Amino acid sequence: MRRPLIVGNWKLHCTVVEAIALADSIRVAVGDPGPREVVIAPPFTAIYAVRGVVCGTPIGLAAQDAHWEERGAFTGAISPGLLHDVGCRYAILGHSERREHFAENDAVIARKLRAVLAAGLAPILCVGERASEREQGRAQAVVAGQLASALAGLSPEALPGTSIAYEPVWAIGTGMAATAQDASAMADAIRRQLAATWGDAAASVRILYGGSVSPANAGEFLGRQSLDGALVGGASLNAHGFAAIVKAAP
Ligand code: PGA
């Protein structure tokens, strides 16, 4: 049985004061999440302060990215161990905004994924096709390629701690979510691919949908058997909206 996982990706939003206020409002609005797991990903600068708000509550912390090295001469980088130290238990990796604006390729994402696992964090690996790739009928092939290279050589023991977020690039921040049918078809393809390589270990991997998830459409995605949760961007900056998405999960 996979626990539903709802992740709020705050992206580049919130000063420390704003982040504390938002985290506190989310804590109150979500209340007891029941069987669902709720995680928020503030910007790096606010993680430690937000930890003070969510510590001892059911809300967990994720980083929006992590570097592949643990320490050394890497100016500006933040390592998985440092993220663990400030209270993160998850790290979002390979988000399409990282791929696009920070030139992250599959090889870099694969290195980060291994470093994150080695530090005891659970990776949330983002995969997803661009609009042109979907138009050309290549969506599943693109996602399969991203998945294969990020996870290549991973041990079956490491796999269950990993979540996969299917986020079609054209659906992120556009208000044009994928249909629940297309999202769940992709989730099925992802699970088949994982099972083909890792067998039974694939059954415990959580597969999320992300891309313009809102309180209005969350139920359509979260009601699907093949989707185990959501990665929420814009709508996670509103405590009541985010809590409504959490409650839309079974
Ligand atoms: P969005 O972002 O919900 O604002 O579309 C999702 C994401 O980038 O993870």
mmCIF file of all heavy atoms in Angstrom, residues 92-139:
data_model
loop_
_atom_site.group_PDB
_atom_site.id
_atom_site.type_symbol
_atom_site.label_atom_id
_atom_site.label_comp_id
_atom_site.label_asym_id
_atom_site.label_seq_id
_atom_site.Cartn_x
_atom_site.Cartn_y
_atom_site.Cartn_z
ATOM 1 N N ILE A 92 13.780 17.278 -4.301
ATOM 2 C CA ILE A 92 13.248 17.276 -5.671
ATOM 3 C C ILE A 92 14.455 17.352 -6.611
ATOM 4 O O ILE A 92 15.354 18.170 -6.406
ATOM 5 C CB ILE A 92 12.322 18.501 -5.887
ATOM 6 C CG1 ILE A 92 11.126 18.446 -4.927
ATOM 7 C CG2 ILE A 92 11.868 18.592 -7.340
ATOM 8 C CD1 ILE A 92 10.297 19.737 -4.894
ATOM 9 N N LEU A 93 14.492 16.501 -7.596
ATOM 10 C CA LEU A 93 15.623 16.496 -8.537
ATOM 11 C C LEU A 93 15.120 16.483 -9.972
ATOM 12 O O LEU A 93 14.065 15.902 -10.262
ATOM 13 C CB LEU A 93 16.493 15.248 -8.316
ATOM 14 C CG LEU A 93 17.214 15.137 -6.971
ATOM 15 C CD1 LEU A 93 17.966 13.811 -6.896
ATOM 16 C CD2 LEU A 93 18.165 16.309 -6.751
ATOM 17 N N GLY A 94 15.865 17.135 -10.854
ATOM 18 C CA GLY A 94 15.552 17.075 -12.275
ATOM 19 C C GLY A 94 14.295 17.828 -12.669
ATOM 20 O O GLY A 94 13.700 17.550 -13.717
ATOM 21 N N HIS A 95 13.894 18.795 -11.852
ATOM 22 C CA HIS A 95 12.730 19.604 -12.237
ATOM 23 C C HIS A 95 12.999 20.241 -13.598
ATOM 24 O O HIS A 95 14.141 20.625 -13.889
ATOM 25 C CB HIS A 95 12.477 20.679 -11.175
ATOM 26 C CG HIS A 95 11.151 21.351 -11.350
ATOM 27 N ND1 HIS A 95 10.938 22.304 -12.318
ATOM 28 C CD2 HIS A 95 9.966 21.185 -10.723
ATOM 29 C CE1 HIS A 95 9.670 22.700 -12.256
ATOM 30 N NE2 HIS A 95 9.061 22.034 -11.307
ATOM 31 N N SER A 96 11.972 20.395 -14.393
ATOM 32 C CA SER A 96 12.198 20.910 -15.754
ATOM 33 C C SER A 96 12.778 22.320 -15.740
ATOM 34 O O SER A 96 13.481 22.717 -16.670
ATOM 35 C CB SER A 96 10.908 20.865 -16.570
ATOM 36 O OG SER A 96 9.958 21.728 -16.008
ATOM 37 N N GLU A 97 12.505 23.075 -14.665
ATOM 38 C CA GLU A 97 13.107 24.416 -14.585
ATOM 39 C C GLU A 97 14.611 24.313 -14.332
ATOM 40 O O GLU A 97 15.383 25.162 -14.786
ATOM 41 C CB GLU A 97 12.392 25.234 -13.490
ATOM 42 C CG GLU A 97 10.987 25.625 -13.945
ATOM 43 C CD GLU A 97 9.982 25.844 -12.829
ATOM 44 O OE1 GLU A 97 10.384 25.968 -11.658
ATOM 45 O OE2 GLU A 97 8.766 25.870 -13.134
ATOM 46 N N ARG A 98 15.052 23.295 -13.618
ATOM 47 C CA ARG A 98 16.491 23.053 -13.443
ATOM 48 C C ARG A 98 17.097 22.610 -14.782
ATOM 49 O O ARG A 98 18.183 23.029 -15.152
ATOM 50 C CB ARG A 98 16.756 21.964 -12.395
ATOM 51 C CG ARG A 98 16.242 22.227 -11.001
ATOM 52 C CD ARG A 98 16.971 23.279 -10.235
ATOM 53 N NE ARG A 98 18.392 23.282 -10.394
ATOM 54 C CZ ARG A 98 19.184 24.272 -9.957
ATOM 55 N NH1 ARG A 98 18.661 25.330 -9.328
ATOM 56 N NH2 ARG A 98 20.476 24.232 -10.143
ATOM 57 N N ARG A 99 16.370 21.738 -15.473
ATOM 58 C CA ARG A 99 16.893 21.253 -16.755
ATOM 59 C C ARG A 99 17.012 22.425 -17.740
ATOM 60 O O ARG A 99 17.991 22.539 -18.468
ATOM 61 C CB ARG A 99 15.963 20.180 -17.340
ATOM 62 C CG ARG A 99 15.898 18.878 -16.523
ATOM 63 C CD ARG A 99 14.914 17.896 -17.152
ATOM 64 N NE ARG A 99 14.563 16.774 -16.305
ATOM 65 C CZ ARG A 99 15.068 15.534 -16.414
ATOM 66 N NH1 ARG A 99 15.944 15.250 -17.337
ATOM 67 N NH2 ARG A 99 14.672 14.562 -15.609
ATOM 68 N N GLU A 100 16.012 23.293 -17.734
ATOM 69 C CA GLU A 100 15.983 24.354 -18.738
ATOM 70 C C GLU A 100 16.865 25.554 -18.383
ATOM 71 O O GLU A 100 17.652 26.005 -19.202
ATOM 72 C CB GLU A 100 14.539 24.822 -18.934
ATOM 73 C CG GLU A 100 14.434 25.874 -20.023
ATOM 74 C CD GLU A 100 13.009 26.215 -20.365
ATOM 75 O OE1 GLU A 100 12.121 25.388 -20.082
ATOM 76 O OE2 GLU A 100 12.792 27.313 -20.917
ATOM 77 N N HIS A 101 16.738 26.068 -17.159
ATOM 78 C CA HIS A 101 17.447 27.316 -16.823
ATOM 79 C C HIS A 101 18.848 27.079 -16.267
ATOM 80 O O HIS A 101 19.636 28.008 -16.165
ATOM 81 C CB HIS A 101 16.652 28.126 -15.799
ATOM 82 C CG HIS A 101 15.254 28.444 -16.241
ATOM 83 N ND1 HIS A 101 14.983 29.093 -17.425
ATOM 84 C CD2 HIS A 101 14.055 28.166 -15.680
ATOM 85 C CE1 HIS A 101 13.669 29.221 -17.562
ATOM 86 N NE2 HIS A 101 13.081 28.658 -16.520
ATOM 87 N N PHE A 102 19.119 25.861 -15.823
ATOM 88 C CA PHE A 102 20.425 25.594 -15.208
ATOM 89 C C PHE A 102 21.177 24.488 -15.944
ATOM 90 O O PHE A 102 22.119 23.920 -15.415
ATOM 91 C CB PHE A 102 20.241 25.250 -13.720
ATOM 92 C CG PHE A 102 19.545 26.359 -12.960
ATOM 93 C CD1 PHE A 102 18.169 26.345 -12.799
ATOM 94 C CD2 PHE A 102 20.258 27.432 -12.454
ATOM 95 C CE1 PHE A 102 17.511 27.374 -12.129
ATOM 96 C CE2 PHE A 102 19.616 28.469 -11.780
ATOM 97 C CZ PHE A 102 18.233 28.441 -11.617
ATOM 98 N N ALA A 103 20.698 24.215 -17.148
ATOM 99 C CA ALA A 103 21.388 23.284 -18.050
ATOM 100 C C ALA A 103 21.664 21.923 -17.419
ATOM 101 O O ALA A 103 22.706 21.325 -17.655
ATOM 102 C CB ALA A 103 22.695 23.905 -18.560
ATOM 103 N N GLU A 104 20.757 21.456 -16.595
ATOM 104 C CA GLU A 104 20.968 20.125 -16.001
ATOM 105 C C GLU A 104 20.602 19.053 -17.011
ATOM 106 O O GLU A 104 19.520 19.081 -17.589
ATOM 107 C CB GLU A 104 20.105 19.966 -14.740
ATOM 108 C CG GLU A 104 20.631 20.789 -13.600
ATOM 109 C CD GLU A 104 20.043 20.390 -12.250
ATOM 110 O OE1 GLU A 104 19.345 19.366 -12.153
ATOM 111 O OE2 GLU A 104 20.290 21.150 -11.308
ATOM 112 N N ASN A 105 21.514 18.130 -17.211
ATOM 113 C CA ASN A 105 21.202 17.028 -18.126
ATOM 114 C C ASN A 105 21.005 15.731 -17.332
ATOM 115 O O ASN A 105 21.160 15.705 -16.115
ATOM 116 C CB ASN A 105 22.297 16.880 -19.190
ATOM 117 C CG ASN A 105 23.655 16.630 -18.560
ATOM 118 O OD1 ASN A 105 23.748 16.079 -17.469
ATOM 119 N ND2 ASN A 105 24.713 17.048 -19.248
ATOM 120 N N ASP A 106 20.678 14.683 -18.050
ATOM 121 C CA ASP A 106 20.368 13.419 -17.377
ATOM 122 C C ASP A 106 21.548 12.903 -16.558
ATOM 123 O O ASP A 106 21.358 12.312 -15.499
ATOM 124 C CB ASP A 106 19.941 12.362 -18.413
ATOM 125 C CG ASP A 106 18.554 12.647 -18.969
ATOM 126 O OD1 ASP A 106 17.733 13.264 -18.252
ATOM 127 O OD2 ASP A 106 18.282 12.248 -20.117
ATOM 128 N N ALA A 107 22.773 13.146 -17.047
ATOM 129 C CA ALA A 107 23.954 12.644 -16.330
ATOM 130 C C ALA A 107 24.113 13.357 -14.988
ATOM 131 O O ALA A 107 24.409 12.734 -13.959
ATOM 132 C CB ALA A 107 25.204 12.837 -17.193
ATOM 133 N N VAL A 108 23.895 14.660 -14.982
ATOM 134 C CA VAL A 108 23.988 15.440 -13.739
ATOM 135 C C VAL A 108 22.902 14.979 -12.759
ATOM 136 O O VAL A 108 23.153 14.794 -11.560
ATOM 137 C CB VAL A 108 23.832 16.949 -14.073
ATOM 138 C CG1 VAL A 108 23.449 17.761 -12.850
ATOM 139 C CG2 VAL A 108 25.113 17.480 -14.694
ATOM 140 N N ILE A 109 21.716 14.772 -13.286
ATOM 141 C CA ILE A 109 20.594 14.373 -12.424
ATOM 142 C C ILE A 109 20.868 12.990 -11.817
ATOM 143 O O ILE A 109 20.594 12.751 -10.642
ATOM 144 C CB ILE A 109 19.271 14.432 -13.221
ATOM 145 C CG1 ILE A 109 18.977 15.898 -13.589
ATOM 146 C CG2 ILE A 109 18.114 13.832 -12.422
ATOM 147 C CD1 ILE A 109 18.012 16.085 -14.725
ATOM 148 N N ALA A 110 21.457 12.109 -12.605
ATOM 149 C CA ALA A 110 21.794 10.770 -12.093
ATOM 150 C C ALA A 110 22.805 10.870 -10.945
ATOM 151 O O ALA A 110 22.682 10.188 -9.929
ATOM 152 C CB ALA A 110 22.353 9.902 -13.218
ATOM 153 N N ARG A 111 23.781 11.749 -11.084
ATOM 154 C CA ARG A 111 24.777 11.916 -10.009
ATOM 155 C C ARG A 111 24.121 12.472 -8.748
ATOM 156 O O ARG A 111 24.403 12.046 -7.634
ATOM 157 C CB ARG A 111 25.875 12.897 -10.446
ATOM 158 C CG ARG A 111 26.867 12.306 -11.407
ATOM 159 C CD ARG A 111 27.943 13.310 -11.758
ATOM 160 N NE ARG A 111 28.980 13.409 -10.721
ATOM 161 C CZ ARG A 111 29.996 14.248 -10.765
ATOM 162 N NH1 ARG A 111 30.120 15.084 -11.792
ATOM 163 N NH2 ARG A 111 30.890 14.276 -9.807
ATOM 164 N N LYS A 112 23.254 13.449 -8.945
ATOM 165 C CA LYS A 112 22.566 14.052 -7.801
ATOM 166 C C LYS A 112 21.708 13.017 -7.088
ATOM 167 O O LYS A 112 21.653 12.976 -5.855
ATOM 168 C CB LYS A 112 21.685 15.215 -8.270
ATOM 169 C CG LYS A 112 22.486 16.420 -8.733
ATOM 170 C CD LYS A 112 21.585 17.573 -9.108
ATOM 171 C CE LYS A 112 22.414 18.855 -9.236
ATOM 172 N NZ LYS A 112 21.584 20.048 -9.389
ATOM 173 N N LEU A 113 21.052 12.183 -7.872
ATOM 174 C CA LEU A 113 20.160 11.187 -7.282
ATOM 175 C C LEU A 113 20.940 10.226 -6.372
ATOM 176 O O LEU A 113 20.506 9.909 -5.268
ATOM 177 C CB LEU A 113 19.435 10.436 -8.390
ATOM 178 C CG LEU A 113 18.285 9.571 -7.902
ATOM 179 C CD1 LEU A 113 16.980 9.990 -8.568
ATOM 180 C CD2 LEU A 113 18.537 8.111 -8.165
ATOM 181 N N ARG A 114 22.094 9.807 -6.846
ATOM 182 C CA ARG A 114 22.913 8.909 -6.022
ATOM 183 C C ARG A 114 23.410 9.601 -4.759
ATOM 184 O O ARG A 114 23.446 9.002 -3.681
ATOM 185 C CB ARG A 114 24.090 8.371 -6.837
ATOM 186 C CG ARG A 114 23.678 7.129 -7.579
ATOM 187 C CD ARG A 114 24.366 6.934 -8.913
ATOM 188 N NE ARG A 114 23.602 5.988 -9.702
ATOM 189 C CZ ARG A 114 22.470 6.289 -10.357
ATOM 190 N NH1 ARG A 114 21.973 7.522 -10.311
ATOM 191 N NH2 ARG A 114 21.816 5.372 -11.034
ATOM 192 N N ALA A 115 23.795 10.863 -4.879
ATOM 193 C CA ALA A 115 24.295 11.606 -3.712
ATOM 194 C C ALA A 115 23.180 11.797 -2.681
ATOM 195 O O ALA A 115 23.395 11.694 -1.473
ATOM 196 C CB ALA A 115 24.842 12.962 -4.161
ATOM 197 N N VAL A 116 22.000 12.067 -3.176
ATOM 198 C CA VAL A 116 20.849 12.273 -2.295
ATOM 199 C C VAL A 116 20.534 10.982 -1.530
ATOM 200 O O VAL A 116 20.342 10.991 -0.312
ATOM 201 C CB VAL A 116 19.647 12.774 -3.149
ATOM 202 C CG1 VAL A 116 18.320 12.501 -2.486
ATOM 203 C CG2 VAL A 116 19.808 14.271 -3.430
ATOM 204 N N LEU A 117 20.531 9.876 -2.235
ATOM 205 C CA LEU A 117 20.268 8.588 -1.573
ATOM 206 C C LEU A 117 21.364 8.275 -0.555
ATOM 207 O O LEU A 117 21.079 7.819 0.550
ATOM 208 C CB LEU A 117 20.191 7.471 -2.618
ATOM 209 C CG LEU A 117 18.899 7.407 -3.432
ATOM 210 C CD1 LEU A 117 19.087 6.484 -4.629
ATOM 211 C CD2 LEU A 117 17.724 6.946 -2.573
ATOM 212 N N ALA A 118 22.610 8.561 -0.910
ATOM 213 C CA ALA A 118 23.720 8.265 -0.006
ATOM 214 C C ALA A 118 23.618 9.072 1.282
ATOM 215 O O ALA A 118 24.058 8.631 2.342
ATOM 216 C CB ALA A 118 25.053 8.548 -0.708
ATOM 217 N N ALA A 119 23.015 10.255 1.202
ATOM 218 C CA ALA A 119 22.883 11.106 2.393
ATOM 219 C C ALA A 119 21.632 10.763 3.203
ATOM 220 O O ALA A 119 21.351 11.400 4.216
ATOM 221 C CB ALA A 119 22.850 12.573 1.974
ATOM 222 N N GLY A 120 20.875 9.789 2.743
ATOM 223 C CA GLY A 120 19.681 9.385 3.498
ATOM 224 C C GLY A 120 18.445 10.207 3.195
ATOM 225 O O GLY A 120 17.474 10.184 3.950
ATOM 226 N N LEU A 121 18.485 10.941 2.079
ATOM 227 C CA LEU A 121 17.287 11.681 1.657
ATOM 228 C C LEU A 121 16.547 10.857 0.606
ATOM 229 O O LEU A 121 17.139 10.030 -0.090
ATOM 230 C CB LEU A 121 17.675 13.019 1.017
ATOM 231 C CG LEU A 121 18.358 14.068 1.885
ATOM 232 C CD1 LEU A 121 18.777 15.255 1.025
ATOM 233 C CD2 LEU A 121 17.431 14.537 2.985
ATOM 234 N N ALA A 122 15.243 11.125 0.478
ATOM 235 C CA ALA A 122 14.446 10.425 -0.530
ATOM 236 C C ALA A 122 14.304 11.330 -1.755
ATOM 237 O O ALA A 122 13.781 12.442 -1.647
ATOM 238 C CB ALA A 122 13.070 10.091 0.033
ATOM 239 N N PRO A 123 14.779 10.885 -2.916
ATOM 240 C CA PRO A 123 14.657 11.725 -4.110
ATOM 241 C C PRO A 123 13.230 11.735 -4.661
ATOM 242 O O PRO A 123 12.539 10.721 -4.614
ATOM 243 C CB PRO A 123 15.596 11.066 -5.133
ATOM 244 C CG PRO A 123 16.132 9.823 -4.513
ATOM 245 C CD PRO A 123 15.477 9.614 -3.186
ATOM 246 N N ILE A 124 12.835 12.892 -5.156
ATOM 247 C CA ILE A 124 11.586 13.006 -5.935
ATOM 248 C C ILE A 124 12.053 13.398 -7.330
ATOM 249 O O ILE A 124 12.394 14.559 -7.582
ATOM 250 C CB ILE A 124 10.645 14.072 -5.342
ATOM 251 C CG1 ILE A 124 10.267 13.704 -3.901
ATOM 252 C CG2 ILE A 124 9.383 14.229 -6.214
ATOM 253 C CD1 ILE A 124 9.584 14.834 -3.127
ATOM 254 N N LEU A 125 12.140 12.415 -8.189
ATOM 255 C CA LEU A 125 12.712 12.628 -9.521
ATOM 256 C C LEU A 125 11.641 13.108 -10.497
ATOM 257 O O LEU A 125 10.630 12.434 -10.693
ATOM 258 C CB LEU A 125 13.321 11.310 -10.025
ATOM 259 C CG LEU A 125 13.770 11.311 -11.488
ATOM 260 C CD1 LEU A 125 14.978 12.228 -11.699
ATOM 261 C CD2 LEU A 125 14.087 9.887 -11.952
ATOM 262 N N CYS A 126 11.868 14.287 -11.090
ATOM 263 C CA CYS A 126 10.900 14.825 -12.047
ATOM 264 C C CYS A 126 11.268 14.411 -13.470
ATOM 265 O O CYS A 126 12.432 14.523 -13.874
ATOM 266 C CB CYS A 126 10.877 16.349 -11.990
ATOM 267 S SG CYS A 126 10.460 16.997 -10.373
ATOM 268 N N VAL A 127 10.274 13.967 -14.193
ATOM 269 C CA VAL A 127 10.445 13.626 -15.607
ATOM 270 C C VAL A 127 9.251 14.207 -16.358
ATOM 271 O O VAL A 127 8.193 14.444 -15.769
ATOM 272 C CB VAL A 127 10.505 12.094 -15.831
ATOM 273 C CG1 VAL A 127 11.764 11.495 -15.204
ATOM 274 C CG2 VAL A 127 9.262 11.396 -15.260
ATOM 275 N N GLY A 128 9.426 14.456 -17.642
ATOM 276 C CA GLY A 128 8.287 14.979 -18.407
ATOM 277 C C GLY A 128 8.722 15.484 -19.756
ATOM 278 O O GLY A 128 9.857 15.945 -19.921
ATOM 279 N N GLU A 129 7.806 15.388 -20.707
ATOM 280 C CA GLU A 129 8.110 15.776 -22.079
ATOM 281 C C GLU A 129 7.706 17.223 -22.353
ATOM 282 O O GLU A 129 6.876 17.786 -21.662
ATOM 283 C CB GLU A 129 7.372 14.836 -23.055
ATOM 284 C CG GLU A 129 5.897 15.176 -23.312
ATOM 285 C CD GLU A 129 4.962 14.836 -22.166
ATOM 286 O OE1 GLU A 129 5.427 14.272 -21.156
ATOM 287 O OE2 GLU A 129 3.752 15.140 -22.271
ATOM 288 N N ARG A 130 8.304 17.802 -23.390
ATOM 289 C CA ARG A 130 7.904 19.130 -23.865
ATOM 290 C C ARG A 130 6.698 18.978 -24.785
ATOM 291 O O ARG A 130 6.428 17.875 -25.289
ATOM 292 C CB ARG A 130 9.023 19.764 -24.681
ATOM 293 C CG ARG A 130 10.267 20.004 -23.906
ATOM 294 C CD ARG A 130 11.445 20.217 -24.861
ATOM 295 N NE ARG A 130 12.651 20.413 -24.086
ATOM 296 C CZ ARG A 130 12.970 21.578 -23.514
ATOM 297 N NH1 ARG A 130 12.217 22.643 -23.701
ATOM 298 N NH2 ARG A 130 14.052 21.686 -22.783
ATOM 299 N N ALA A 131 6.048 20.125 -25.068
ATOM 300 C CA ALA A 131 4.852 20.096 -25.922
ATOM 301 C C ALA A 131 5.168 19.498 -27.292
ATOM 302 O O ALA A 131 4.436 18.655 -27.815
ATOM 303 C CB ALA A 131 4.290 21.512 -26.068
ATOM 304 N N SER A 132 6.313 19.923 -27.869
ATOM 305 C CA SER A 132 6.644 19.448 -29.224
ATOM 306 C C SER A 132 6.862 17.938 -29.229
ATOM 307 O O SER A 132 6.502 17.245 -30.182
ATOM 308 C CB SER A 132 7.888 20.168 -29.743
ATOM 309 O OG SER A 132 8.960 19.962 -28.847
ATOM 310 N N GLU A 133 7.441 17.430 -28.157
ATOM 311 C CA GLU A 133 7.693 15.988 -28.076
ATOM 312 C C GLU A 133 6.381 15.208 -27.973
ATOM 313 O O GLU A 133 6.233 14.140 -28.565
ATOM 314 C CB GLU A 133 8.611 15.692 -26.887
ATOM 315 C CG GLU A 133 10.015 16.275 -27.105
ATOM 316 C CD GLU A 133 10.856 16.382 -25.844
ATOM 317 O OE1 GLU A 133 10.298 16.444 -24.716
ATOM 318 O OE2 GLU A 133 12.088 16.443 -25.968
ATOM 319 N N ARG A 134 5.419 15.766 -27.255
ATOM 320 C CA ARG A 134 4.104 15.103 -27.188
ATOM 321 C C ARG A 134 3.433 15.143 -28.563
ATOM 322 O O ARG A 134 2.870 14.148 -29.013
ATOM 323 C CB ARG A 134 3.221 15.748 -26.116
ATOM 324 C CG ARG A 134 1.809 15.153 -26.056
ATOM 325 C CD ARG A 134 1.113 15.367 -24.736
ATOM 326 N NE ARG A 134 1.609 14.508 -23.679
ATOM 327 C CZ ARG A 134 1.101 13.314 -23.349
ATOM 328 N NH1 ARG A 134 0.061 12.830 -24.012
ATOM 329 N NH2 ARG A 134 1.610 12.612 -22.367
ATOM 330 N N GLU A 135 3.526 16.316 -29.217
ATOM 331 C CA GLU A 135 2.900 16.434 -30.551
ATOM 332 C C GLU A 135 3.482 15.413 -31.527
ATOM 333 O O GLU A 135 2.789 14.909 -32.401
ATOM 334 C CB GLU A 135 3.093 17.850 -31.104
ATOM 335 C CG GLU A 135 2.106 18.858 -30.531
ATOM 336 C CD GLU A 135 2.662 20.279 -30.496
ATOM 337 O OE1 GLU A 135 3.589 20.583 -31.280
ATOM 338 O OE2 GLU A 135 2.169 21.076 -29.664
ATOM 339 N N GLN A 136 4.759 15.132 -31.366
ATOM 340 C CA GLN A 136 5.403 14.157 -32.263
ATOM 341 C C GLN A 136 5.167 12.712 -31.824
ATOM 342 O O GLN A 136 5.760 11.787 -32.389
ATOM 343 C CB GLN A 136 6.921 14.407 -32.303
ATOM 344 C CG GLN A 136 7.316 15.723 -32.934
ATOM 345 C CD GLN A 136 8.719 16.198 -32.477
ATOM 346 O OE1 GLN A 136 9.474 15.441 -31.869
ATOM 347 N NE2 GLN A 136 9.031 17.448 -32.761
ATOM 348 N N GLY A 137 4.367 12.533 -30.774
ATOM 349 C CA GLY A 137 4.072 11.172 -30.312
ATOM 350 C C GLY A 137 5.233 10.542 -29.555
ATOM 351 O O GLY A 137 5.319 9.320 -29.424
ATOM 352 N N ARG A 138 6.145 11.410 -29.033
ATOM 353 C CA ARG A 138 7.349 10.873 -28.378
ATOM 354 C C ARG A 138 7.322 10.986 -26.862
ATOM 355 O O ARG A 138 8.328 10.753 -26.192
ATOM 356 C CB ARG A 138 8.586 11.596 -28.918
ATOM 357 C CG ARG A 138 8.837 11.310 -30.405
ATOM 358 C CD ARG A 138 9.954 12.198 -30.951
ATOM 359 N NE ARG A 138 11.132 12.171 -30.100
ATOM 360 C CZ ARG A 138 11.815 13.239 -29.714
ATOM 361 N NH1 ARG A 138 11.452 14.441 -30.116
ATOM 362 N NH2 ARG A 138 12.867 13.117 -28.937
ATOM 363 N N ALA A 139 6.163 11.352 -26.295
ATOM 364 C CA ALA A 139 6.114 11.627 -24.852
ATOM 365 C C ALA A 139 6.632 10.446 -24.032
ATOM 366 O O ALA A 139 7.506 10.613 -23.172
ATOM 367 C CB ALA A 139 4.694 11.997 -24.430
#
